[in-house]
Amino acid sequence: MGKLQNFLKGIIKENPVLVLVLGTCPTLAITTSVMNALGMGVAATAVLLCSNMAVSALRKVIPDQVRIPCYIVLIAGFVTMVEMIMHAFVPDLYEALGIFLSLIVVNCIILGRAEMYASKNTVIDSALDALGMGVGFTLALFIMASIREIIGAGSWCGIAIPFLADVKISILTLAPGGFFVFGCLIALVNKLTGNKSSKKEMGCAGCPSAALCGKKESSECNKKETEGGEQ
Amino acid sequence: MEMLRSFAIILMTSVLVNNYVLSKFLGICPFLGVSKKLNQAAGMGAAVIFVMLMSTAATWPIQYYLLDPNGLGYMRTIVFILVIAALVQLVEIILKKYLPALHASLGIYLPLITTNCAVLGVTINNINDGYNFLEAMVNSLGVGLGFLLAMVLFAGVRSRLEEANPPKSFRGLPITLVSASIVALSFFGFAGLVDGLFA
């Protein structure tokens, strides 16, 4: 029961993209097509799973003062592995994701989960947490990419949709469309959750990497996270 | 002359046409998080320019004189992020000790920048695009200036937004994103600028 909830919380209640608003850069940049979104989601999930398990397994070994650099090295190592694997087996996707594949290193979700969760919990719990968060991330990317690809390019997963392909609104696949669709999706989530999260502000306090930017932000951040966990 | 022309093209492209925030989606977190007040936005922008120049100056030689000759090109991501993180820490300590005035204005933004994807992004892009050292430095300066420009423009938009009264669900982040979308639209006006100016 507890284990299942641990997995499910990342998908809906604490969806990293739509509720916690983390990892906005890849969310906006690669959701121009569904295939890219799924590729990015799977790559980030793999890195998240490996890094969460490694951080959790090493949580008693890593000294507290240098934990952030240690996490970054671990994450960067896994990102490099994923990059090389994708370069070898899915070169098209590797080209399409481009620099955003390397930039998984600085994705707030991954460092955030390492700092907030994996450093305090067992390997199995951390793995479930990572899977839940990864699936939530992939799901959010998938929804957003579907909207942008169907309306903006008149296709879905590269398959042209008969009527929509003639009336496509291509601005949605460009930069302004990304911001617009993301804004509307978050507004929709706010509406569905009864505006509970409408006061939440983006930025330092909302980003777990704030642990890096001094005690004040980090304590605010921790507080927010525990409040979320107790609900 | 030819060199100056190519520098001008790189600068114009990275500031206006390929603005990292508004058309490449790099560095969105600070763009949305620290753009509430004009002076904070300008401080963050200045700190980003500074860190981008420093990290390019450090990572470009590492790539070409350390990693490439030893066939370690695949270590780029790990090495770059570590160099940037260490550099930012070092700069912060030096500023605190010797230039407290500058530290007071830029210092609070420095640690935040370590995990800013625009900084790692610009260093990796400099290598991917095959720039030489001077071109890479010009490109970093341009990207930094573009970031500053986007931050300052958006801070202006947001100060007007404070007085607006959007629907309840749109309050806070959603309306900010929608207005960012309109600012990004305005940068479309610069497409073709470089071809027009330097044809």
Side-chain angles (χ1 to χ4, degrees):
Chain A
M1 183 65 188
K3 295 257 188 287
L4 188 67
Q5 271 177 349
N6 199 4
F7 171 68
L8 288 178
K9 74 171 191 292
I11 300 179
I12 299 161
K13 211 170 84 184
E14 291 181 29
N15 188 295
V17 179
L18 297 173
V19 180
L20 301 180
V21 200
L22 301 173
T24 36
C25 297
T27 311
L28 289 166
I30 51 86
T31 51
T32 49
S33 80
V34 175
M35 289 317 280
N36 285 357
L38 289 179
M40 182 71 192
V42 171
T45 307
V47 173
L48 185 57
L49 182 62
C50 296
S51 72
N52 248 16
M53 284 168 74
V55 166
S56 173
L58 295 171
R59 68 185 187 280
K60 297 207 172 72
V61 184
I62 296 174
D64 207 36
Q65 297 88 343
V66 291
R67 66 185 193 285
I68 301 283
C70 292
Y71 299 163
I72 291 179
V73 174
L74 281 172
I75 295 167
F78 290 121
V79 169
T80 308
M81 282 187 231
V82 168
E83 252 184 302
M84 290 167 90
I85 292 170
M86 287 182 78
H87 199 175
F89 294 103
V90 276
D92 292 343
L93 197 58
Y94 177 83
E95 292 295 324
L97 295 179
I99 192 165
F100 283 94
L101 210 47
S102 313
L103 291 180
I104 295 178
V105 180
V106 282
N107 190 325
C108 293
I109 298 173
I110 294 172
L111 194 59
R113 285 336 278 178
E115 164 77 9
M116 289 295 168
Y117 197 89
S119 60
K120 301 177 191 103
N121 290 285
T122 60
V123 177
I124 294 174
D125 279 340
S126 302
L128 284 171
D129 176 76
L131 275 180
M133 285 286 161
V135 172
F137 180 64
T138 313
L139 193 71
L141 289 187
F142 177 74
I143 293 171
M144 198 162 140
S146 298
I147 296 174
R148 287 179 74 184
E149 200 184 333
I150 290 173
I151 303 178
S155 62
W156 192 73
C157 287
I159 307 157
I161 298 170
F163 174 68
L164 286 171
D166 302 327
V167 290
K168 58 190 176 197
I169 309 166
S170 47
I171 190 90
L172 277 192
T173 57
L174 300 172
F179 284 114
F180 185 76
V181 172
F182 194 40
C184 292
L185 266 182
I186 293 178
L188 184 69
V189 170
N190 280 352
K191 184 84 188 164
L192 293 178
T193 55
N195 287 312
K196 253 186 286 177
S197 50
S198 63
K199 279 182 198 146
K200 181 167 47 61
E201 274 301 320
M202 174 72 205
C204 204
C207 170
S209 307
L212 292 161
C213 49
K215 289 190 176 65
K216 189 169 161 272
E217 283 92 344
S218 122
S219 59
E220 272 175 19
C221 196
N222 282 323
K223 203 175 69 194
K224 193 158 279 175
E225 179 68 14
T226 45
E227 276 170 5
E230 279 160 9
Q231 275 173 5
Chain B
M1 202 57 215
E2 192 55 33
M3 202 166 77
L4 279 180
R5 190 164 168 273
S6 77
F7 286 172
I9 292 178
I10 292 174
L11 201 62
M12 279 300 208
T13 311
S14 51
V15 176
L16 296 175
V17 183
N18 279 339
N19 190 291
Y20 262 39
V21 178
L22 295 172
S23 61
K24 285 193 167 179
F25 295 123
L26 291 165
I28 301 288
C29 286
F31 174 68
L32 295 175
V34 202
S35 62
K36 266 195 168 164
K37 296 210 179 72
L38 189 60
N39 55 348
Q40 281 183 358
M44 182 74 185
V48 165
I49 295 180
F50 185 63
V51 172
M52 275 182 179
L53 285 174
M54 297 272 302
S55 10
T56 306
T59 52
W60 194 92
I62 288 179
Q63 173 74 24
Y64 285 103
Y65 295 112
L66 194 68
L67 295 183
D68 276 355
N70 296 312
L72 291 171
Y74 62 88
M75 291 287 282
R76 191 163 62 199
T77 313
I78 300 185
V79 172
F80 279 21
I81 186 74
L82 279 181
V83 167
I84 293 170
L87 198 71
V88 171
Q89 290 288 321
L90 193 70
V91 169
E92 205 200 349
I93 293 168
I94 293 174
L95 281 185
K96 205 172 186 175
K97 179 103 172 106
Y98 295 106
L99 294 166
L102 193 61
H103 181 259
S105 54
L106 291 189
I108 45 168
Y109 304 110
L110 283 176
L112 261 177
I113 292 171
T114 318
T115 51
N116 181 343
C117 51
V119 176
L120 184 62
V122 76
T123 53
I124 294 178
N125 266 346
N126 279 334
I127 307 296
N128 284 347
D129 293 346
Y131 287 140
N132 67 33
F133 185 68
L134 283 176
E135 285 172 345
M137 291 302 281
V138 172
N139 185 41
S140 305
L141 179 67
V143 169
L145 285 175
F147 185 80
L148 178 67
L149 180 71
M151 291 284 281
V152 169
L153 281 179
F154 198 55
V157 173
R158 273 186 93 162
S159 69
R160 297 294 297 268
L161 212 57
E162 296 278 303
E163 292 153 24
N165 189 17
K168 208 173 167 211
S169 309
F170 271 93
R171 256 171 233 169
L173 187 60
I175 194 71
T176 312
L177 282 164
V178 172
S179 36
S181 146
I182 296 167
V183 176
L185 199 61
S186 73
F187 267 67
F188 270 27
F190 295 118
L193 178 81
V194 169
D195 302 332
L197 271 182
F198 299 102

